[in-house]
Amino acid sequence: MAVTAEDFGPTISLDGARKQRGNLTQARIRWMVLALVLGFGLVGGRLVQLGMVVPDSTIEGQARDVITATRPPILDRNGLEMAVDIRVPSLFAEPRRIIDVEEAVRKLRTVLPDLDETWLRNRLTGDKGFVWVQRELSPAIQEKVMRLGIPGIDFITESKRFYPGMTEASHILGSTNIDNQGIAGIERHMDGEDVALLQELGLARGNALAPVELSVDMRVQHVMHEQLVDAMTRYKAIAAAGVMMDIHTGEIIALASVPDFDPNDPASALVKDSFNRVTAGIFEPGSIFKTVTMAGALDSGAVSITDQFDARFGIRFGRFTIDDFHGKHRILSLPEVYKYSSNIGTIRVMQAMGKDAYRAFLSTMGFDARVPFELPEMRLPTVPKEFSEVGAATASFGHGLSVSPLHMVAAYAAFVNGGNYIAPTLYRRDVAEAEALYRRVLQPSTSEAIRYLMRLNALEGSGSQMNKEALGYRVGGKTGTAEKVVEGRYSSSKVTNFFGSAFPLDNPRYAMVIMVDEPKAENPQSGTTAGWNAGAVTGRIVQRVAPMLGIAPDFSEVLDQNLVPPQLR
């Protein structure tokens, strides 16, 4: 059979096309393999690069140990927790490990939509080893972010301070910043003592730090805080404050000032007028300062409990005459001067002592210096270095000088504890420790006379409203209604009221000062002077806390009779 060219033509054409397609396929495979090799090479190189990155040992300039350090728990005198650390996750990023910034931004904002997109993009861009993204998140948010699986995004567990009592002891505890460092109150004081050093050394880890025990009794603190909040509402006052102190040890049992703030939200401390009025507020104390004048004059020997003073007429100083608020305009005995809160009689008592000796006694009582105390929120009192005749006269009944309620409670404690000044403290201190710190400022006999005067005023004087509330707990004290200076003049409509007290006066244990700022009358039958508000608040507090403090009511009149000095029986 003959073979012709027609038989081979189509076969040669088919083989060339197949060969051409085969070459093209092989070329594609080679390019694909090359692309895969380059891709894996790039990824591998990036992984090697990331693996060679040295981990940043600091967190935005601070050592990780400091950021993650804990603070010791703070307990009250009965072991109740006042401040504790809790563990919270905080989100951070390592920008140099992030492969796709845009993808990371988009994913993170699906869980944290409040984060500003531009801010977050700038935060995640660059070669930094550590940047915070958002701190103190909830475990639920942490779980959602972890599910996103973004390289270079991780969490660190921080310590966050938590205050179970919320606002109740805010001015005692203070607060911490986001780095768990004390910025106010006893928290700041603790950092100044030793906590900050332990954190820097990396020793403040886990639960290794021993709890700090304060002198505060949270049961009493709760009652005082509640009554001060009630006073602001009941008397439509702009503020109220109070402090209670153990007269033998100097331990502060309760201290509160309202308006206050929530230490769990430190920014709330910036609200106007939420400062600590007990330590950082200084005020003209008004007539509670008459107790100081009586103590100084009696202790100097210039006057005695049986002396009498001419209060028939006002006392003139140049163009001015100082008179009594509710004057008796007769000769008054020294107890009557105190009971009727006579300005004239008190000036006479001071003048018998002498203005220079009186000024020196104020220094003895620490009224011209800062009270030694742990809280950093303190203010120096304003007491003239020297008194003119009229300056000494007004100072004798609490005008023309300004001191803090803490000054007053420390003075009242010394007046009734036998005459020993003991600096107040927020830490536990037993009697033996306190006695080593005693500074004698009065004779015991003077202290006994002051206890009698304070109880007399509760039974028959301006403290009677208080005594009705605290009947049976033998409280004694002195009212103080100080007119506020408005536009350079004393205002009769705006006053700051005080009640300085101690209980139980047959065996004194506690001193207390209560302040109500700009109170209004509770009802048409009541007034605005201190007995109606600061005194009544004192009585209500004592009525509730005395049983907690182990003090039983006793209505026996012989207890009061025993307080009367022998010369007056």
Side-chain angles (χ1 to χ4, degrees):
M1 186 176 65
V3 177
T4 66
E6 294 175 352
D7 297 329
F8 292 97
T11 303
I12 293 171
S13 175
L14 177 63
D15 288 347
R18 286 177 178 170
K19 186 176 181 180
Q20 189 175 10
R21 284 199 297 272
N23 291 339
L24 183 60
T25 300
Q26 288 177 357
R28 286 175 176 170
I29 292 172
R30 283 196 295 273
W31 280 110
M32 187 177 297
V33 170
L34 180 62
L36 288 172
V37 169
L38 287 174
F40 280 114
L42 287 173
V43 172
R46 178 64 173 161
L47 291 175
V48 170
Q49 182 189 19
L50 293 177
M52 294 176 66
V53 172
V54 178
D56 197 339
S57 60
T58 63
I59 296 178
E60 302 211 31
Q62 290 185 274
R64 290 191 181 226
D65 281 349
V66 174
I67 293 294
T68 59
T70 59
R71 302 179 64 81
I74 299 177
L75 311 178
D76 84 336
R77 64 186 304 115
N78 301 311
L80 190 67
E81 289 181 337
M82 299 177 69
V84 294
D85 270 9
I86 57 175
R87 310 295 280 174
V88 294
S90 287
L91 179 64
F92 71 92
E94 297 175 89
R96 61 191 178 198
R97 289 182 183 272
I98 294 177
I99 297 172
D100 190 333
V101 172
E102 291 302 322
E103 181 187 39
V105 170
R106 180 174 50 77
K107 286 185 174 180
L108 281 174
R109 292 190 75 247
T110 62
V111 178
L112 300 167
D114 291 339
L115 292 180
D116 181 78
E117 183 176 342
T118 303
W119 175 87
L120 182 58
R121 182 179 296 109
N122 293 335
R123 200 73 176 153
L124 302 184
T125 303
D127 195 37
K128 290 184 178 178
F130 187 104
V131 293
W132 287 118
V133 177
Q134 190 157 346
R135 302 175 73 175
E136 298 180 355
L137 295 169
S138 68
I141 294 293
Q142 181 186 27
E143 178 68 21
K144 290 180 180 177
V145 173
M146 290 179 69
R147 287 182 179 177
L148 297 175
I150 307 172
I153 296 290
D154 205 347
F155 288 88
I156 191 170
T157 301
E158 289 193 278
S159 295
K160 175 181 170 58
R161 208 57 160 166
F162 177 65
Y163 304 90
M166 309 299 277
T167 62
E168 282 192 351
S170 57
H171 285 300
I172 295 173
L173 295 167
S175 58
T176 59
N177 61 16
I178 199 166
D179 291 328
N180 220 20
Q181 297 165 333
I183 56 173
I186 200 70
E187 294 276 25
R188 183 176 171 185
H189 176 79
M190 285 163 49
D191 278 9
E193 289 289 294
D194 48 23
V195 171
L197 177 60
L198 292 174
Q199 290 177 334
E200 289 177 7
L201 295 174
L203 300 176
R205 313 285 297 178
N207 298 318
L209 297 179
V212 174
E213 295 184 15
L214 298 187
S215 59
V216 176
D217 186 325
M218 279 303 289
R219 301 171 303 171
V220 180
Q221 179 74 20
H222 170 77
V223 172
M224 178 177 284
H225 182 266
E226 182 186 73
Q227 287 299 320
L228 293 176
V229 171
D230 175 72
M232 283 191 64
T233 304
R234 187 190 292 254
Y235 308 118
K236 298 179 176 60
I238 64 170
V243 56
M244 183 187 295
M245 173 176 165
D246 185 312
I247 65 168
H248 299 300
T249 65
E251 295 173 297
I252 295 297
I253 306 301
L255 184 157
S257 176
V258 291
D260 51 15
F261 64 96
D262 183 355
N264 294 305
D265 178 18
S268 62
L270 302 178
V271 175
K272 187 175 181 290
D273 292 333
S274 61
F275 67 97
N276 183 355
R277 285 168 169 77
V278 175
T279 61
I282 57 172
F283 309 89
E284 288 196 352
S287 292
I288 61 169
F289 214 69
K290 288 172 179 167
T291 311
V292 178
T293 304
M294 294 296 168
L298 285 167
D299 203 66
S300 71
V303 301
S304 72
I305 198 73
T306 56
D307 283 352
Q308 295 185 325
F309 300 88
D310 187 353
R312 291 176 296 171
F313 311 104
I315 302 176
R316 289 189 65 83
F317 293 94
R319 296 182 294 114
F320 302 100
T321 299
I322 298 176
D323 210 334
D324 286 340
F325 186 64
H326 292 298
K328 299 297 176 184
H329 297 115
R330 61 175 173 82
I331 304 293
L332 299 175
S333 67
L334 189 144
E336 286 178 324
V337 169
Y338 191 80
K339 182 174 69 174
Y340 297 132
S341 199
S342 168
N343 293 337
I344 300 170
T346 304
I347 294 172
R348 302 285 189 208
V349 170
M350 181 279 298
Q351 289 176 333
M353 182 182 182
K355 68 179 181 66
D356 293 336
Y358 178 59
R359 178 62 186 82
F361 181 68
L362 300 190
S363 292
T364 300
M365 295 304 304
F367 283 118
D368 50 7
R370 171 180 168 156
V371 177
F373 196 52
E374 290 85 7
L375 295 186
E377 295 80 19
M378 300 286 284
R379 191 172 166 195
L380 285 172
T382 57
V383 178
K385 292 183 178 179
E386 295 182 359
F387 280 145
S388 62
E389 292 295 333
V390 66
T394 57
S396 70
F397 55 88
H399 286 259
L401 47 76
S402 296
V403 299
S404 71
L406 191 66
H407 281 90
M408 293 308 305
V409 79
Y412 269 67
F415 293 160
V416 298
N417 75 359
N420 299 298
Y421 185 93
I422 177 69
T425 180
L426 281 171
Y427 292 122
R428 297 296 300 274
R429 180 196 283 159
D430 62 31
V431 175
E433 292 172 323
E435 287 178 346
L437 302 173
Y438 278 178
R439 180 167 58 84
R440 180 161 290 282
V441 293
L442 296 179
Q443 303 171 64
S445 58
T446 306
S447 179
E448 291 177 4
I450 294 298
R451 285 160 53 188
Y452 159 70
L453 292 176
M454 290 173 63
R455 183 59 180 155
L456 175 70
N457 192 51
L459 294 171
E460 302 175 10
S462 59
S464 57
Q465 291 295 330
M466 178 280 300
N467 197 48
K468 288 179 184 175
E469 299 285 352
L471 196 61
Y473 290 107
R474 292 95 65 202
V475 190
K478 185 75 186 77
T479 52
T481 303
E483 296 176 345
K484 301 180 80 168
V485 176
V486 179
E487 297 179 349
R489 303 174 67 90
Y490 281 108
S491 168
S492 58
S493 61
K494 292 187 176 181
V495 295
T496 307
N497 289 351
F498 299 89
F499 197 90
S501 63
F503 67 99
L505 277 183
D506 56 299
N507 183 21
R509 180 72 189 276
Y510 300 100
M512 180 162 58
V513 170
I514 294 295
M515 184 199 81
V516 181
D517 200 358
E518 294 189 20
K520 310 296 184 300
E522 183 179 7
N523 54 57
Q525 291 72 44
S526 62
T528 58
T529 52
W532 292 100
N533 38 73
V537 172
T538 299
R540 287 194 286 268
I541 291 175
V542 173
Q543 181 66 234
R544 289 182 57 186
V545 306
M548 301 175 186
L549 298 170
I551 300 170
D554 192 330
F555 298 89
S556 174
E557 294 183 0
V558 71
L559 295 175
D560 291 331
Q561 293 169 0
N562 290 339
L563 291 172
V564 180
Q567 307 95 304
L568 297 177
R569 293 178 186 170

